[in-house]
């Protein structure tokens, strides 16, 4: 059996985790309150074969309990959710995947009785995943009535990036694994003669990699120090387990498109500009004064996955862009123009160059370097960027679980050490969903920032129609 080691970037995410800064992604899926009186008699096939649902037609206790039963039944049929991470002897410092011989859905799927899913999601996002088990969890959060519920999914960043986590979660819904691509076969072993012939090319490729690493390192140095970064974006050094707050904002995608058509650029440009405007509005509203300076540096991850490329849904294929958020600019349209100009400059350079491509440096570090240097890299995040703004595209079809349809999906990003806020955004069924995760001690007024996103969209709509 061939050992499947973690890729350098996956290993980096595994090593930089701490109790105060867990490195898992999240998604809060809110379901419609769809009453049903009977349960189906059989489940649908998932991943590598059918998983039998619990038979019978007895009335279910409530929608949340039914959803937890379905998730527990289906997760055992998804191979990517039954794997755990363990250290290996060689290479020194490396880690690998292996099947969990004691896999138990009850250790991963939980039913939580709560009347406010977003409030309940905060403490759950603060709690690290068990590193001795497959690194994921699903928390079914019962709503205020028997037919409403939400599900908080947590996937360790070493297991998957945003798109990979989406594919794994999609395999648990009624639609099955329609979103996930086929697994990529392991590369065949090359004969010794072929390896010898490939040495000159490999040497040239290695030199190219070193050149790329030096270029990225120089770009990081040129990116500048934190200038014009509001104090609200810097979290205090934690002395114990961290606290988290979660908030969400749902905006009309048609209005976002209307702004894009008038102002130019892309939908993503508008979404980033909304973040900048909302942060400005939020800071002024809380009494922090008018923002000044160049503005905080936003790290904007860029997926390097190719649609239909046949890669496994798990693992990370990421680079990124670094962009100054122009909080000091008071005019909404000028602020959008500055965001668009900055993003155009990033795209022209490409995702393999520039300070935002720092994730690619993980490929140039020996596994032992990741193991020994993980804590130091985690502490350096504050020097590299000030806030994470990430986008997770969702497919156009409607997700459902046990017949209950997903109404809202709020993506949630991990919070790096020294940061107080992370922003994630996705579009689903004509609605833009912003998921905000914050250090609750540093940002006790996170719902105000969520409301500022809606107010900022209203302002931009008015501006483009003037």
């Amino acid at each position: 059996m061939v050992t499947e080691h973690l890729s350098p970037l996956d290993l980096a995410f595994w090593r930089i985790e701490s109790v105060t800064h867990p490195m898992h992604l999240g998604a809060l899926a809110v379901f419609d309150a769809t009453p049903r009186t009977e349960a189906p008699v059989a489940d649908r096939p998932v991943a590598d074969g059918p998983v039998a649902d619990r038979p019978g037609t007895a009335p279910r206790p409530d929608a949340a309990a039914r959803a937890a039963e379905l998730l527990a039944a289906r997760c055992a049929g998804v191979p990517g959710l039954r794997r755990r991470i363990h250290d290996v002897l060689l290479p020194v410092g490396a880690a690998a995947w292996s099947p969990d011989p004691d896999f138990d859905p009850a250790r991963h799927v939980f039913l939580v009785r709560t009347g406010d899913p977003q409030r309940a999601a905060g403490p759950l996002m603060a709690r690290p995943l068990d590193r001795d088990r497959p690194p994921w969890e699903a928390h079914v959060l019962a709503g205020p009535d028997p037919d409403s519920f939400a599900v908080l999914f947590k996937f360790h960043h070493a297991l998957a990036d945003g798109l990979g986590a989406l594919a794994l979660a999609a395999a648990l819904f009624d639609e099955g694994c329609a979103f996930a691509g086929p697994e990529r076969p392991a590369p065949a072993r090359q004969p010794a003669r072929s390896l010898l012939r490939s040495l000159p090319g490999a040497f040239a490729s290695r030199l190219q990699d070193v050149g790329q690493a030096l270029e990225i390192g120089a770009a990081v140095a040129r990116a500048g120090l934190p200038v014009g970064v509001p104090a609200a974006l810097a979290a205090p050094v934690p002395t114990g387990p961290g606290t988290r707050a979660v908030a969400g904002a749902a905006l009309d995608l048609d209005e976002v498109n209307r702004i894009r058509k008038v102002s130019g650029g892309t939908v993503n440009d508008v979404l980033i500009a909304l973040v900048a405007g909302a942060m400005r509005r939020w800071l002024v509203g809380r009494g922090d004064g008018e923002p000044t300076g160049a503005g905080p540096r936003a790290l904007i991850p860029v997926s390097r996955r190719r649609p239909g490329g046949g890669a496994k849904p798990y693992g990370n294929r990421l680079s990124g862009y670094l962009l100054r958020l122009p909080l000091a600019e008071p005019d909404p349209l000028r602020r959008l123009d500055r965001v668009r100009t900055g993003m155009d400059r990033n795209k022209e350079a490409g995702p393999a160059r520039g300070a935002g491509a720092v994730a690619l440096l993980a490929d140039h570090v020996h596994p032992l370097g990741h193991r020994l240097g993980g804590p130091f890299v985690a502490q350096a995040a504050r020097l590299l960027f000030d806030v994470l703004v990430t986008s997770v595209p969702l497919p156009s079809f409607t997700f459902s679980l046990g017949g209950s349809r997903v109404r809202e999906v709020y993506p949630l990003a991990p919070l790096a050490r020294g940061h107080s806020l992370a922003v994630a955004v996705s579009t689903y069924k004509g609605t833009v969903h912003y998921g905000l995760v914050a250090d609750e001690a540093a940002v006790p007024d996170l719902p105000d920032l969520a409301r500022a996103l809606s107010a900022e969209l209203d302002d931009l709509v008015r501006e483009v129609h003037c």
Side-chain angles (χ1 to χ4, degrees), residues 145-445:
D145 60 78
D147 294 306
S148 65
F149 67 96
V151 179
L152 173 65
F153 292 99
K154 294 168 55 176
F155 297 96
H156 199 286
H157 221 321
L159 173 63
D161 54 23
L163 284 175
L166 172 61
L168 289 168
L172 300 174
F173 288 110
D174 296 341
E175 294 73 22
C177 49
F179 185 73
E183 292 191 0
R184 178 175 53 200
R189 292 180 177 271
Q190 288 182 287
R193 185 175 300 176
S194 298
L195 289 173
L196 289 174
R197 291 174 180 172
S198 68
L199 284 178
F203 181 71
S205 176
R206 183 60 178 168
L207 287 178
Q208 185 178 11
D209 290 344
V210 172
Q212 181 192 43
L214 292 174
E215 183 179 7
I216 294 173
V220 170
R222 292 194 303 269
L225 297 173
V227 178
V229 181
L233 293 185
V237 177
T239 57
T243 59
R244 295 291 180 270
V246 167
L251 310 183
D252 190 340
L253 181 58
D254 287 341
E255 293 187 343
V256 172
N257 276 315
R258 206 170 295 131
I259 296 168
R260 178 193 60 81
K261 289 177 182 178
V262 174
S263 63
T266 67
V267 166
N268 201 43
D269 294 340
V270 179
L271 297 179
I272 296 170
L274 287 173
V275 172
M279 290 178 67
R280 173 186 170 84
R281 182 184 300 268
W282 169 62
L283 291 167
V284 172
R286 75 203 305 255
D288 289 0
E290 293 275 340
T292 59
R297 300 159 300 171
L299 178 63
I300 302 170
V302 177
S303 175
R304 297 166 61 218
R305 293 180 183 272
R306 296 180 179 178
K312 294 178 180 179
Y314 30 86
N316 287 269
R317 297 283 295 166
L318 291 173
S319 183
Y321 297 138
L322 202 65
L323 177 74
R324 288 276 185 181
L325 297 180
L327 304 192
E329 173 55 61
D331 184 88
L333 289 179
R334 290 180 181 175
R335 197 161 49 237
L336 173 55
D337 184 67
R338 290 182 60 179
V339 167
R340 182 175 63 246
T341 300
M343 287 300 291
D344 287 345
R345 191 181 302 117
N346 278 325
K347 293 170 189 174
E348 184 178 352
R353 301 170 62 188
V358 66
L360 300 182
L361 295 179
D363 293 337
H364 306 286
V365 178
H366 188 276
L368 183 59
H370 284 297
R371 184 165 190 172
L372 298 179
F376 300 100
V377 172
Q379 293 181 29
R382 186 69 180 86
L383 300 176
L384 298 174
F385 64 99
D386 305 302
V387 61
L388 179 71
V389 181
T390 183
S391 177
V392 182
L394 298 182
S396 58
F397 56 80
T398 303
F399 290 111
S400 63
L401 182 61
S404 295
R405 295 184 177 183
V406 174
R407 183 178 75 248
E408 302 166 0
V409 182
Y410 297 97
L412 304 172
L415 206 56
R417 183 180 177 86
H419 293 179
S420 66
L421 175 69
V423 181
V425 58
S426 65
T427 56
Y428 177 72
K429 309 305 290 182
T431 302
V432 177
H433 295 103
Y434 282 94
L436 310 177
V437 177
D439 183 306
E440 192 171 31
V443 185
D445 55 347

